[in-house]
Amino acid sequence: MKRLNARPLAALILSASLVGLAGCSQDMSDLQGEIARIKQRPAAPIEPVPEMPPFESYTYPERTADLRNPFAELRFGEAADGPAVADTSGPRPDPSRPREVLEEFPLDALRMVGTLQQDGMLWGLIRDPGGTIHRVQPGNHMGQNHGRIVALSDQKASLVELVPNGRGGWMEREASLAVKE
């Protein structure tokens, strides 16, 4: 096997590189002259900053008939002469009642899938969003608005929900969950 001498190969590579670099050295006097000419031009004057009118602040009145302070806390249900009295009469949710499993879900996420007759008692079959089927009967609770089942038939479960009335109290609202075919 013939061995190559590295010296002539290195000399060849070095000479080719020098020839390549020599081609890159051009006369740049015309470019430098143009740059010098541009730098000698007088600078254009800068426009002065425009005069800003002074800021006029506005103080919102505490309360008037047609305007209110947009930064003040909203108070719903207040009369013009003062705060409204909370409505404490009427139905209220029982805070001591243990919550049932179906009260974790909004009513529109639950589906009534049928009924079951067992020992003379009618049970409703409710599917939760996870696919689990639950047996319910009148008196059970479901939905996130304190819904209580008041009647059960083959076609639907009728509920009474307790919802806030906007005045610090609660009101009853009828709802139902029908069997979807």
Side-chain angles (χ1 to χ4, degrees):
M1 188 161 159
K2 190 174 180 184
R3 190 169 173 198
L4 292 174
N5 192 355
R7 280 188 186 193
L9 183 60
L12 179 65
I13 292 173
L14 181 64
S15 62
S17 299
L18 288 175
V19 169
L21 288 175
C24 292
S25 64
Q26 295 179 7
D27 182 24
M28 294 197 181
S29 60
D30 58 339
L31 177 61
Q32 291 170 345
E34 182 66 21
I35 290 173
R37 189 178 63 76
I38 291 172
K39 284 184 177 182
Q40 288 179 358
R41 280 194 233 159
I46 298 175
E47 293 183 22
V49 177
E51 188 71 28
M52 296 296 290
F55 177 74
E56 295 180 27
S57 64
Y58 179 79
T59 305
Y60 288 94
E62 190 58 36
R63 189 167 187 107
T64 64
D66 56 342
L67 295 175
R68 73 166 188 82
N69 183 343
F71 305 107
E73 180 181 346
L74 289 177
R75 295 181 193 127
F76 294 105
E78 282 190 15
D81 55 349
V85 178
D87 181 13
T88 56
S89 64
R92 301 192 82 63
D94 182 6
S96 63
R97 179 184 60 80
R99 308 256 313 160
E100 297 182 29
V101 175
L102 291 176
E103 289 183 276
E104 296 175 17
F105 309 105
L107 198 57
D108 61 351
L110 301 173
R111 298 284 174 247
M112 183 169 180
V113 294
T115 57
L116 174 69
Q117 183 90 23
Q118 186 178 26
D119 297 329
M121 183 170 286
L122 185 65
W123 295 85
L125 300 175
I126 307 294
R127 181 184 310 140
D128 68 21
T132 305
I133 305 289
H134 302 269
R135 279 189 334 176
V136 296
Q137 61 184 357
N140 286 124
H141 291 79
M142 64 181 172
Q144 294 177 331
N145 290 323
H146 311 282
R148 181 177 42 85
I149 300 172
V150 293
L152 195 58
S153 71
D154 289 338
Q155 298 302 313
K156 71 177 183 175
S158 299
L159 296 99
V160 172
E161 295 181 310
L162 289 177
V163 294
N165 65 6
R167 296 183 309 261
W170 298 83
M171 65 181 194
E172 291 184 341
R173 175 177 70 185
E174 293 181 8
S176 64
L177 204 57
V179 174
K180 303 265 183 181
E181 292 189 27

